[in-house]
Amino acid sequence: MIAFPLFVIFILVQLFRYPSRLKSILPSKAALTLTGFFWVMQIGSMLVSYSITGETILTMGIIHSGIILFTWTLTVYVAWATIQLSINSERDERQFIKSGLVALGIYLVVVILPQIFVTLNIGHLNSYVNHLAKLFERHWQMHGPNYDFYRNGSYVTSEHRVNGFEPEAAFLANLVGVAYLPLLIGLTAAKSKIWGHTRRTSSDIFLNSVFAISIFGVLLLAKTTTGILTACIAYLLWIFWSKGKGRWSLIFLAAFGILMIVFAYFKVGVIHNLLNQFLFAKGGTDNRLGGTIGLLLTFLTHPIFGVGYGFTSYFIIKNVPESTTHNFEFQHVYSQFGYPNLSDLLGWFASFGLVIMIPAIWLLCRLVARSYLVKYRVQMSHLSDDSKRWNQAMMIAFITMIILAAFSSIFVIQVFLWPYLLMFFFYRKHIMRLEQELQP
């Protein structure tokens, strides 16, 4: 709610300063056609589903679903326009990335580090953490005292898990793992220099590596399956993209880390319980399993047009296996107030159908293919070595983000949040800028 007016103000200020850039934020005919197609298909699907479900608390309803889809459409446009007006050169890209990483560093120190101390019972920071949470923390709607993640003033003090300002720990893991970590992986793997206060590239690589490792630590300390698995996949990608001594250093660090984890698993009770609770012997998975099966059956019974955004809950409850419903959360929350999509990937297919998902996947794959074509043209160009390394870093970061986002979507990832949209359009603008500059 804070970001939206700030970005709108930014757009208006940029247009006031550079009136000629107005053309750059006017949607193309193709974009307008695709948006109109999306809306027509979704309204049709929602009307059909509404004729089946009627008025029920299990769905969002036509009006509420329409409002949310409209806000999503507007948010996508504002994020795209913000990048269009602010990123016009490699210098702009470097400033954008540096400002984002500096802001992330401040966020880690001011918000995340105190939360880590609270979860480890170090210091007396509960009051500080609760006051920050009162101002900025997003909350899920609670249904009674048995389903309240914020009963002690914040998620951290109630659940003893790090969440930043997100409603749950898994969403923090997605935020830092998908939006920010790929940048650091790209910068270190391509050996690109970005910080002006370091004299040598090796100092940059060391600084960014420490920064990246701290994010891996946050992913683990979030105490969530999503964070642990995201950390594992991201680290493997980091090794894959790195070369020479950097790759061997990461392999050695991974081997040492695995040995330490194995030792801690058998000798340290806290680590043993943590890994069992969130990875090896994770309990309470009935609803995730049941919801995933329910979503899959919803898609299979409505494969072409989907059931429309906001209507999956009704059909999940109809399709969920009875054996997964014998738990408090289903009986007292989901069955009465609606079943959330616990797998966003299946949720998108069930909501939008193949008629929308196939074009969306095709456009994404097309952008990835363009990024590889641009990478080849950059290598053959007469750009400076520094620019080539920068472009290599951004390509690695883009592909890494796509892979991690695709993995996270198996669970839950809110892709319409500002960081994801801004970073996606940033990489897209980077690719398009290079295509224009490298035209023969």
Side-chain angles (χ1 to χ4, degrees):
M1 291 186 293
I2 296 174
F4 182 82
L6 290 179
F7 284 127
V8 171
I9 292 172
F10 171 82
I11 290 171
L12 295 176
V13 170
Q14 287 292 89
L15 291 177
F16 177 78
R17 295 174 61 196
Y18 311 104
S20 61
R21 294 184 182 179
L22 176 62
K23 293 182 180 179
S24 67
I25 62 170
L26 297 178
S28 65
K29 291 182 180 179
L32 292 174
T33 300
L34 288 172
T35 303
F37 176 76
F38 169 82
W39 270 93
V40 169
M41 294 296 101
Q42 271 299 280
I43 290 175
S45 297
M46 289 190 292
L47 287 173
V48 171
S49 293
Y50 181 76
S51 67
I52 297 172
T53 66
E55 289 290 341
T56 171
I57 196 174
L58 298 179
T59 69
M60 291 184 180
I62 293 284
I63 295 178
H64 192 194
S65 294
I67 291 174
I68 293 180
L69 283 180
F70 173 75
T71 59
W72 280 4
T73 305
L74 191 59
T75 299
V76 169
Y77 171 76
V78 171
W80 170 76
T82 299
I83 294 298
Q84 286 289 106
L85 292 173
S86 58
I87 306 297
N88 295 285
S89 64
E90 182 180 311
R91 179 175 178 272
D92 293 337
E93 292 175 359
R94 289 176 179 269
Q95 290 180 334
F96 179 83
I97 296 304
K98 281 196 292 186
S99 64
L101 292 177
V102 168
L104 176 62
I106 295 172
Y107 177 70
L108 291 176
V109 172
V110 175
V111 179
I112 301 300
L113 189 59
Q115 291 188 352
I116 292 174
F117 287 157
V118 169
T119 62
L120 299 176
N121 296 315
I122 299 175
H124 303 281
L125 296 171
N126 287 27
S127 178
Y128 171 79
V129 169
N130 285 342
H131 275 92
L132 279 183
K134 184 178 180 181
L135 292 173
F136 302 111
E137 187 176 54
R138 293 193 300 138
H139 287 185
W140 294 131
Q141 182 181 358
M142 295 296 99
H143 304 287
N146 293 325
Y147 195 69
D148 187 355
F149 299 148
Y150 324 99
R151 56 192 175 276
N152 293 336
S154 68
Y155 183 88
V156 177
T157 55
S158 301
E159 302 296 316
H160 284 275
R161 297 164 66 188
V162 177
N163 74 316
F165 293 137
E166 304 305 309
E168 284 190 53
F171 291 91
L172 173 68
N174 285 332
L175 178 66
V176 297
V178 175
Y180 293 102
L181 187 55
L183 289 170
L184 294 167
I185 290 176
L187 290 170
T188 54
K191 299 180 180 179
S192 177
K193 194 174 187 310
I194 189 173
W195 304 112
H197 61 275
T198 56
R199 295 183 178 181
R200 296 179 298 177
T201 301
S202 59
S203 300
D204 249 48
I205 296 173
F206 176 78
L207 180 62
N208 289 329
S209 297
V210 172
F211 205 168
I213 290 171
S214 68
I215 294 180
F216 280 105
V218 172
L219 291 175
L220 298 177
L221 289 170
K223 299 179 184 178
T224 171
T225 306
T226 302
I228 295 173
L229 295 178
T230 297
C232 293
I233 294 175
Y235 200 88
L236 290 175
L237 290 171
W238 197 6
I239 293 175
F240 173 79
W241 292 119
S242 299
K243 296 179 180 179
K245 293 181 179 179
R247 174 179 289 178
W248 285 110
S249 297
L250 291 173
I251 292 174
F252 173 79
L253 187 61
F256 178 76
I258 291 173
L259 289 176
M260 291 297 294
I261 290 173
V262 171
F263 175 81
Y265 179 75
F266 289 105
K267 298 296 183 178
V268 182
V270 174
I271 301 299
H272 181 89
N273 294 334
L274 175 66
L275 292 176
N276 278 345
Q277 183 179 357
F278 297 104
L279 196 61
F280 299 135
K282 183 176 174 64
T285 59
D286 284 350
N287 288 318
R288 184 172 296 279
L289 175 62
T292 301
I293 294 174
L295 273 174
L296 178 61
L297 293 175
T298 300
F299 166 65
L300 293 176
T301 53
H302 304 80
I304 305 301
F305 300 103
V307 299
Y309 177 78
F311 286 86
T312 53
S313 175
Y314 175 88
F315 295 95
I316 291 174
I317 292 177
K318 283 186 62 177
N319 293 319
V320 66
E322 191 272 339
S323 60
T324 65
T325 63
H326 304 298
N327 60 82
F328 173 88
E329 194 169 33
F330 178 85
Q331 295 172 1
H332 297 275
V333 181
Y334 292 167
S335 63
Q336 298 183 31
F337 301 99
Y339 210 121
N341 291 346
L342 298 179
S343 171
D344 272 341
L345 181 63
L346 286 176
W348 299 334
F349 276 97
S351 297
F352 305 132
L354 294 175
V355 71
I356 291 175
M357 290 302 297
I358 288 179
I361 293 173
W362 180 80
L363 288 172
L364 179 61
C365 292
R366 184 169 175 264
L367 184 62
V368 171
R370 288 168 65 183
S371 73
Y372 275 97
L373 180 61
V374 165
K375 175 191 173 185
Y376 172 78
R377 293 172 63 183
V378 165
Q379 291 173 340
M380 298 296 105
S381 71
H382 297 289
L383 293 175
S384 66
D385 290 340
D386 186 47
S387 290
K388 288 182 178 180
R389 284 193 293 269
W390 173 256
N391 296 322
Q392 174 75 358
M394 293 303 99
M395 190 281 291
I396 291 173
F398 172 57
I399 301 300
T400 302
M401 178 182 173
I402 295 299
I403 294 173
L404 293 178
F407 168 75
S408 295
S409 70
I410 298 174
F411 306 105
V412 179
I413 179 173
Q414 297 175 314
V415 293
F416 288 99
L417 293 180
W418 292 108
Y420 305 121
L421 292 175
L422 290 172
M423 289 312 305
F424 174 79
F425 287 124
F426 169 82
Y427 294 126
R428 179 179 179 273
K429 184 64 182 291
H430 172 77
I431 295 169
M432 295 178 67
R433 178 184 67 81
L434 287 175
E435 286 178 339
Q436 294 176 351
E437 293 181 1
L438 297 175
Q439 283 182 351

